[in-house]
Amino acid sequence: MARPIVSLTAMTAILALLGACDQPGQTEAQKENKASEQALNARNEAEQRAQNAQVEADKEIAAARADFAKAREDYLHTKRLDLVSLDTKIMNLESKARTLAGKARTDLDARIETILTERDTFVHHMTAIDTNVAATWDSAKANLDKEWDALRSSVDHADN
């Protein structure tokens, strides 16, 4: 009977020692879990950086849009003031035409009609430019500047 007790005790001790040893699968599982955790952390960091970059880009876009809107409004404000000055010159031409007679009056009246038509076209285009986007702004502004120069030139030449 002593022999089975010693054998049983020895077996229990061997099994306990085997259980205490790392099993090969457990080590690999721990490595896999650690690698997965590192990958998840890296992915989260990358997503956070991407979100931060998007926030910064959105801020820059908003600032660029605000700058463009201000530049457009400043330009249109200047053109409106120029138009008021030009309207004064046109009214002076109309007053001058009323003092003239014959061919001189007819010629000046015809010039004034042409000027008023050009003015209406300019005002229409100036109103339309208010809704232009940044991509078409430069060409629309250049066209409006050309129209303005032609209109101002017509008024200046009509007074001579």
Side-chain angles (χ1 to χ4, degrees), residues 19-41:
C21 293
D22 282 341
Q23 297 175 357
Q26 186 178 6
T27 303
E28 279 71 27
Q30 287 174 346
K31 288 179 183 178
E32 184 179 324
N33 288 340
K34 185 177 180 181
S36 294
E37 186 178 312
Q38 288 174 341
L40 180 63
N41 288 340

Side-chain angles (χ1 to χ4, degrees), residues 1-6:
M1 184 134 159
R3 209 165 228 238
I5 292 178
V6 172

Side-chain angles (χ1 to χ4, degrees), residues 52 56 65 136 141 147 155:
N52 291 342
E56 288 302 314
R65 286 179 180 163
T136 60
K141 181 181 174 284
E147 285 182 21
V155 171

Side-chain angles (χ1 to χ4, degrees), residues 7-148:
S7 295
L8 187 59
T9 306
M11 279 266 239
T12 306
I14 291 173
L15 287 176
L17 285 175
L18 286 176
C21 293
D22 282 341
Q23 297 175 357
Q26 186 178 6
T27 303
E28 279 71 27
Q30 287 174 346
K31 288 179 183 178
E32 184 179 324
N33 288 340
K34 185 177 180 181
S36 294
E37 186 178 312
Q38 288 174 341
L40 180 63
N41 288 340
R43 189 176 314 119
N44 289 340
E45 288 176 20
E47 287 176 7
Q48 186 62 41
R49 283 193 301 271
Q51 288 173 353
N52 291 342
Q54 185 62 50
V55 167
E56 288 302 314
D58 290 346
K59 286 179 186 178
E60 290 177 16
I61 290 168
R65 286 179 180 163
D67 289 347
F68 171 70
K70 182 175 178 357
R72 179 174 52 196
E73 188 53 41
D74 289 348
Y75 175 80
L76 290 173
H77 178 73
T78 300
K79 286 301 172 202
R80 287 182 194 110
L81 293 176
D82 290 346
L83 195 58
V84 168
S85 175
L86 189 81
D87 286 344
T88 302
K89 290 179 181 181
I90 293 171
M91 287 189 300
N92 290 340
L93 285 174
E94 291 171 333
S95 294
K96 181 178 178 181
R98 285 192 288 275
T99 64
L100 298 175
K103 182 167 175 33
R105 181 176 182 161
T106 305
D107 288 346
L108 188 54
D109 283 341
R111 286 188 203 159
I112 291 171
E113 278 300 314
T114 301
I115 288 169
L116 291 175
T117 301
E118 288 177 27
R119 183 195 178 283
D120 289 344
T121 301
F122 174 79
V123 168
H124 174 73
H125 290 150
M126 186 175 75
T127 303
I129 202 172
D130 194 28
T131 59
N132 274 52
V133 294
T136 60
W137 170 253
D138 290 334
S139 63
K141 181 181 174 284
N143 289 336
L144 195 62
D145 285 341
K146 286 179 189 175
E147 285 182 21
W148 172 253

